[in-house]
Amino acid sequence: GIRNKWFPSHILMQKLVAAGINVFPSEDAEKYVSISVKDEELESSVYEQMALASSAFAFSWSRWNADCGEKRQIVRAAENMTDEPVDEDVWKNYSCESRK
């Protein structure tokens, strides 16, 4: 089994797919979800900052992200230093833009 064990991400993905759980769609993702085209450099930078802050913040999908255009990214975040779910009134939306 895979419970209570650590795996490199590519091995975990292989084990999950082998078990019939594919939560990592790739080529055919656009068939199942709407995809917002974003500036690649901005998106990478935002994801890097989210990773750095992930020990103190929870992040979520923002419905505004799809409508804000390619040069802006809307991130929904809430400070969360516990294992408890975040209260709905704590979430805030943050607008991220490139400085170019």
Side-chain angles (χ1 to χ4, degrees), residues 46-88:
V46 169
Y47 287 156
E48 181 179 327
Q49 296 305 311
M50 289 170 65
L52 291 170
S54 64
S55 64
F57 285 84
F59 295 96
S60 179
W61 168 84
S62 172
R63 65 184 174 129
W64 305 108
N65 192 45
D67 297 330
C68 67
E70 184 177 331
K71 301 291 184 188
R72 178 182 291 164
Q73 191 162 342
I74 306 296
V75 176
R76 192 169 188 230
E79 187 173 358
N80 188 22
M81 302 292 285
T82 71
D83 291 334
E84 300 298 318
V86 178
D87 290 335
E88 191 60 36

Side-chain angles (χ1 to χ4, degrees), residues 5-20:
K5 295 180 184 176
W6 288 95
F7 296 99
S9 59
H10 69 282
I11 299 295
L12 176 61
M13 289 169 57
Q14 289 172 355
K15 289 184 176 289
L16 289 172
V17 169

Side-chain angles (χ1 to χ4, degrees), residues 28-40:
D28 59 352
E30 70 276 355
K31 294 178 187 172
Y32 305 101
V33 295
S34 61
I35 297 174
S36 300
V37 177
K38 298 291 181 178
D39 178 81
E40 287 184 33

